[in-house]
Amino acid sequence: MAAMNCLFFKLSHSPHLKPSRPSFSCSASQPSQNNIKVIINGAAKEIGRAAVVAVTKARGMELAGAVDNHFLGEDIGLLCDMEEPLEIPVVSDLTMVLGSISQGKEVGVVIDFTDPSTVYENVKQATAFGMKSVVYVPRIKPETVSALSALCDKATMGCLVAPTLSIGSILLQQAVIMAAFHYNNVEIVESRPNAMDLPSPEATQIANNISNLGQIYNREDSSTDVQARGQVIGEDGVRVHSMVLPGLPSSTQVYFSSPGDVYTVKHDIVDVRSLMPGLLLAIRKVVRLKVTRKHARIGVLLTVI
């Protein structure tokens, strides 16, 4: 297999894969040379502010920079409604922050919450300063991921591109894969507060995960062209129904059925803070990633307790 140094959260299709408990050691909560220095790019966004709070409270991590094009000069701690200022101003120059950390030869990670159009250059800059990146940019294009892969391979530097940071979403996808071997009828129903990119990346990922498993789903109306029956994703008949309902949480439900039996898996995201445990796990994973030019292409199963 081709060499590839980007590390991705992916669900394996193999039913024999046994998840293992993640393990890591943490230093004291006080800043030290052993702490992971974390730069948050997109710090003024809702998810960026939640990440600032999470990283500040996490053991073994230290917020080292807040980058954004908004609220320039403001203390990121006060911007996040923390009790005390962090004495870290919001700046727009990522290179300046990278340079200040690289001079100390400390372990640094850049969290990228920016935009699909800028993420490649951001990771390129971080790589040039010897820092790994965690990328969570919804709607990132496959060609961008391929370009990041080539960049990381050339630089022998790890990068983690996360399709989701939600541990609940990963657990749902694990349950769906297990159920797909036992049911021939499946429908995905999702609700989102806005109409961006529907079906959502999560729904598309679920449909792709349970495709090519030797099942053909919803045989009774597999050829119908009635639009109310939803969009078919993949070649195995998985149907997705997307609803736009402002005011409701982002929700994903997967329905399986057989005669006399209905199995439903549901996951809701009601607050962006629910993504923070996954983010902290991603930071620790990418720091431990050892990369060489002989590093094999891998897909990593995000495991939890």
Side-chain angles (χ1 to χ4, degrees), residues 47-93:
I47 188 172
R49 298 185 194 191
V52 167
V53 176
V55 168
T56 301
K57 293 181 178 180
R59 290 185 176 183
M61 296 184 193
E62 179 183 345
L63 185 67
V67 181
D68 207 292
N69 291 324
H70 300 89
F71 302 100
L72 296 178
E74 294 194 26
D75 184 275
I76 190 61
L78 298 180
L79 189 62
C80 296
D81 296 323
M82 301 182 71
E83 293 182 359
E84 297 181 357
L86 295 178
E87 298 183 356
I88 298 176
V90 178
V91 299
S92 60
D93 191 344

Side-chain angles (χ1 to χ4, degrees), residues 127-175:
T127 301
F129 282 92
M131 296 186 192
K132 299 176 181 179
S133 297
V134 173
V135 176
Y136 178 64
V137 180
R139 306 182 305 281
I140 188 172
K141 296 180 179 180
E143 51 266 33
T144 303
V145 176
S146 297
L148 288 173
S149 173
L151 171 67
C152 293
D153 178 58
K154 183 178 180 180
T156 63
M157 180 64 63
C159 172
L160 192 153
V161 180
T164 180
L165 292 174
S166 169
I167 291 177
S169 177
I170 296 294
L171 292 174
L172 178 141
Q173 294 186 44
Q174 291 177 337

